[in-house]
Amino acid sequence: KQWYQRRVRGGGNMALTGWMLVAVFVHVIIAVTFITLLMYYYQKANTVAVQIATKIDKYLKNYGYDAAPFLPEWYNELSTIVKLNYPPKTVCVVVLSNGDMFDKTLPEYLLEHDPTLEKTKDCIDLCTKHFMQKAVKECYPGEEVDIIYDWELQAGTRLPIVNMSTAGHAAGLAHYNLPQEITNPPWGEQKMFGCSVSPKYGGWFGYRAVLVFKNIQDDKIEYLAPHDAVESQEQKVRLLKAFNKDWKDPAWRDIIYTDKRYSDEQLEYFNTLPSNRAHLINAILDRHKEGEDDKKEM
């Protein structure tokens, strides 16, 4: 009897040990699967294009710019007229400016560079050109990069070299809201233009440039559509109507809430013709010179 009881107790222990081994084995399988999936998605999210755009974005972030990667093949699938004539897997980075670029970076740029040297050009364009070249030089010296700016046109046409809104959509920065998205457009046959809305900035941003890394390809990055922050048809109709009626009126920019709006000074600058901006530029310079003098006195 004692022998039988010991055997039963021993069998119970063996059964318990067996279940423990099974449980450990299952947990190991789950852990290995999780790690494998984690590594897979990390590699997908950390391709050469992502690495390049992340480095550019990190460098430009302090100057009021955001950057994200895309491929010409994505862009060309979205753009019906203006095409990017580069190999389909070429790494491209689109750059936008937010309100900080004007309020913080532009005044510092103007203090260092006399804007009267090139009166015919927009100070925003000069500032952007300076920082795009600087970013490429600092982040990827020696790399062959074409920088395409938002103001550049194809020779002999009025078409842009790149449709920046399409590039931004391809990169996932902002959804490009187009008239053809509307099921029953209330404007009939009237020609309407699309506009971009960012989930982060609303309409309070501007595309500035596309950087094309001519000798770098990425065949691993996957396309990720931008978040459509303007979800309903009614909102899209209101957005497109407001934008096409008067793009200078900031109402369309506020189609979604954001705390990243332009300052009043910035709005005034953008709504003023370049030929009439001299007094605004001088006011910016004077105010920031005073600020610099106050810092020195402290």
Side-chain angles (χ1 to χ4, degrees):
K1 186 176 180 180
Q2 291 177 350
W3 169 84
Y4 175 76
Q5 289 175 342
R6 285 197 300 269
R7 185 176 178 182
V8 170
R9 285 197 297 268
N13 290 336
M14 289 176 64
L16 182 60
T17 302
W19 280 111
M20 289 177 65
L21 288 173
V22 170
V24 170
F25 179 75
V26 170
H27 280 82
V28 168
I29 293 297
I30 292 173
V32 169
T33 303
F34 177 76
I35 292 171
T36 302
L37 288 172
L38 196 64
M39 291 177 65
Y40 171 79
Y41 286 112
Y42 174 77
Q43 290 172 354
K44 286 289 184 182
N46 198 41
T47 68
V48 63
V50 173
Q51 291 174 12
I52 288 172
T54 300
K55 191 170 184 178
I56 294 291
D57 180 73
K58 185 177 180 181
Y59 181 86
L60 290 173
K61 188 74 71 178
N62 292 333
Y63 300 114
Y65 297 96
D66 292 42
F70 71 98
L71 301 181
E73 66 177 358
W74 302 347
Y75 171 92
N76 289 334
E77 286 179 8
L78 296 167
S79 182
T80 56
I81 299 175
V82 181
K83 300 293 186 178
L84 262 180
N85 296 317
Y86 293 92
K89 303 292 185 182
T90 304
V91 172
C92 301
V93 176
V94 63
V95 180
L96 65 76
S97 66
N98 56 60
D100 286 345
M101 183 274 292
F102 183 94
D103 294 330
K104 298 178 181 178
T105 302
L106 182 64
E108 294 176 4
Y109 171 80
L110 292 176
L111 287 174
E112 295 179 8
H113 304 81
D114 185 356
T116 61
L117 294 175
E118 297 186 69
K119 292 180 180 179
T120 59
K121 294 188 177 180
D122 191 324
C123 287
I124 297 289
D125 295 346
L126 295 174
C127 181
T128 293
K129 190 172 183 179
H130 171 78
F131 283 104
M132 294 307 106
Q133 292 175 344
K134 188 176 179 182
V136 170
K137 184 178 179 180
E138 293 291 330
C139 295
Y140 293 97
E143 194 64 55
E144 191 173 358
V145 181
D146 285 347
I147 305 178
I148 306 170
Y149 297 101
D150 67 296
W151 64 83
E152 293 186 298
L153 303 176
Q154 297 180 26
T157 74
R158 297 296 297 170
L159 292 174
I161 295 177
V162 176
N163 185 322
M164 292 289 168
S165 293
T166 302
H169 187 107
L173 280 176
H175 182 85
Y176 188 20
N177 297 273
L178 296 170
Q180 50 264 41
E181 293 180 44
I182 306 304
T183 306
N184 296 303
W187 45 77
E189 299 300 318
Q190 179 185 347
K191 184 176 177 59
M192 301 286 281
F193 296 96
C195 62
S196 297
V197 175
S198 159
K200 182 178 181 180
Y201 299 113
W204 300 96
F205 71 96
Y207 290 114
R208 299 302 169 193
V210 164
L211 315 179
V212 183
F213 291 78
K214 297 173 66 175
N215 299 322
I216 304 179
Q217 309 283 309
D218 189 339
D219 59 359
K220 291 184 173 60
I221 189 172
E222 294 184 357
Y223 174 70
L224 182 64
H227 173 66
D228 188 357
V230 188
E231 297 178 348
S232 71
Q233 288 273 300
E234 291 75 17
Q235 275 186 307
K236 287 183 183 290
V237 168
R238 191 163 73 250
L239 169 70
L240 293 172
K241 277 185 173 182
F243 178 77
N244 283 271
K245 181 181 179 181
D246 183 9
W247 67 267
K248 291 183 178 180
D249 185 334
W252 70 271
R253 299 182 188 271
D254 280 325
I255 193 68
I256 65 168
Y257 172 78
T258 177
D259 58 357
K260 305 288 185 180
R261 301 174 84 253
Y262 289 171
S263 63
D264 291 340
E265 184 178 55
Q266 187 168 178
L267 266 179
E268 184 182 5
Y269 180 91
F270 285 128
N271 290 343
T272 303
L273 290 173
S275 57
N276 299 329
R277 289 173 176 167
H279 72 286
L280 297 174
I281 295 170
N282 290 332
I284 294 170
L285 282 169
D286 291 342
R287 187 175 65 260
H288 283 271
K289 283 178 180 176
E290 291 175 2
E292 291 297 313
D293 291 340
D294 291 341
K295 289 180 182 177
K296 289 178 181 178
E297 290 178 4
M298 292 174 66

